[in-house]
Amino acid sequence: MNSPKTRFRDAFLNGETLIGSFLKIANTQPAEILGAAGYDFVVVDEEHAPFSRESTDRIILACKAWDIAALVRVQGPAPEMILSVLDCGADGVLVPHVDSAEKARAVVSAARYAGGARGYSPTTRAGRFGGARMQAHTEAQDARVTVIAMIEDVAALDHLDEIMVVDGLDGIFIGRGDLTVAMGQSSGTAAPVVEAVGMITDAARRAGKAICVMSSSASDMRSLAAQGATAFITSSDQTLLKSAAAQGLEEARAALAST
């Protein structure tokens, strides 16, 4: 992969194993720390965390400085939501609640120039602030921007094959949390959810689409890898901070209790 890790799309499409983390904290330092640690990518979570366009922009810049790919889970499929993060230089988007081929095509159209309807402006970070000529800019962006549809609705299960074959869609993210709630279950290990995940991975493999998942346990990751997943979001900056804080506090109390 070229440095910095902005060739995430090449690795994703080639089925390389990629490890990433969600970002929930609207600050650059979590991204910088994960980049320094050697993570392959982060996902700025605009859907569920308090990011502004400006904070997302700063984090994308920090990712470029620390050699880590920056994806953004946008709030929704609106073209302006997708365009804003791509103009900031994001390496790709995760778009929530894609439950039909029509939605998938609209998402791809918003993210692509050729065959799509992405708004054009070269005076952005993505366009080297006016330094990239039109054809070079549009071709480079279409080659590097990764488009990932989040499959997390019961309605999507009836349209998996149609969604997967949408041209320009690079892969899918299985939103097991939303899917679990939507199916009226209380655990991602419930039989209906496991069956649905199998349906999704089978459809993705048939269409040759890359699969991204969130997974935090070794056994779960191995199971999903066996089903074809290659990109793994293993945690979030909040979870990592919470875990380290709890461990540090426990160790400090134990040490002081023994004195």
Side-chain angles (χ1 to χ4, degrees):
M1 191 185 300
N2 294 339
S3 181
K5 293 178 180 173
T6 50
R7 298 308 296 182
F8 176 90
R9 185 172 185 240
D10 290 343
F12 189 56
L13 294 177
N14 290 335
E16 296 180 25
T17 299
L18 299 164
I19 307 298
S21 173
F22 274 119
L23 295 182
K24 309 279 191 176
I25 301 170
N27 194 286
T28 64
Q29 290 185 355
E32 295 179 78
I33 291 167
L34 291 166
Y39 278 67
D40 296 301
F41 68 101
V42 293
V43 179
V44 178
D45 190 3
E46 288 189 342
E47 184 186 19
H48 291 297
F51 290 95
S52 66
R53 185 171 184 178
E54 185 177 0
S55 60
T56 295
D57 180 71
R58 290 197 301 267
I59 290 168
I60 291 170
L61 178 60
C63 288
K64 293 182 181 299
W66 286 89
D67 192 23
I68 183 170
L71 308 181
V72 180
R73 174 158 69 176
V74 293
Q75 294 181 53
E80 61 270 21
M81 294 179 181
I82 294 171
L83 177 63
S84 70
V85 301
L86 296 184
D87 277 353
C88 289
D91 298 295
V93 289
L94 275 70
V95 182
H97 300 294
V98 177
D99 58 8
S100 69
E102 181 182 10
K103 285 186 180 179
R105 284 191 289 268
V107 166
V108 170
S109 179
R112 305 284 187 213
Y113 287 116
R118 175 177 169 180
Y120 173 73
S121 173
T123 56
T124 60
R125 181 178 296 118
R128 295 172 52 221
F129 300 103
R133 293 185 178 275
M134 179 180 287
Q135 184 174 353
H137 169 66
T138 56
E139 289 179 353
Q141 287 294 291
D142 282 347
R144 65 176 286 277
V145 166
T146 310
V147 181
I148 302 173
M150 297 185 64
I151 308 298
E152 52 189 348
D153 301 280
V154 173
L157 301 179
D158 293 328
H159 306 286
L160 291 174
D161 288 326
E162 302 100 287
I163 293 170
M164 298 298 176
V165 298
V166 168
D167 189 35
L169 181 67
D170 295 313
I172 55 100
F173 175 92
I174 305 174
R176 289 188 290 175
D178 278 74
L179 193 58
T180 298
V181 172
M183 299 184 81
Q185 302 298 317
S186 59
S187 170
T189 60
V193 181
V194 173
E195 181 181 359
V197 169
M199 292 171 58
I200 297 166
T201 56
D202 286 347
R205 289 200 308 274
R206 284 195 297 271
K209 298 298 186 185
I211 302 169
C212 180
V213 293
M214 184 166 188
S215 179
S216 58
S217 76
S219 60
D220 187 53
M221 280 188 269
R222 286 192 291 265
S223 175
L224 289 164
Q227 295 180 70
T230 57
F232 296 86
I233 300 172
T234 59
S235 192
S236 73
D237 51 359
Q238 286 179 339
T239 301
L240 291 167
L241 176 60
K242 181 180 177 182
S243 176
Q247 181 181 346
L249 179 60
E250 181 181 358
E251 291 174 352
R253 284 176 171 164
L256 293 171
S258 65
T259 59

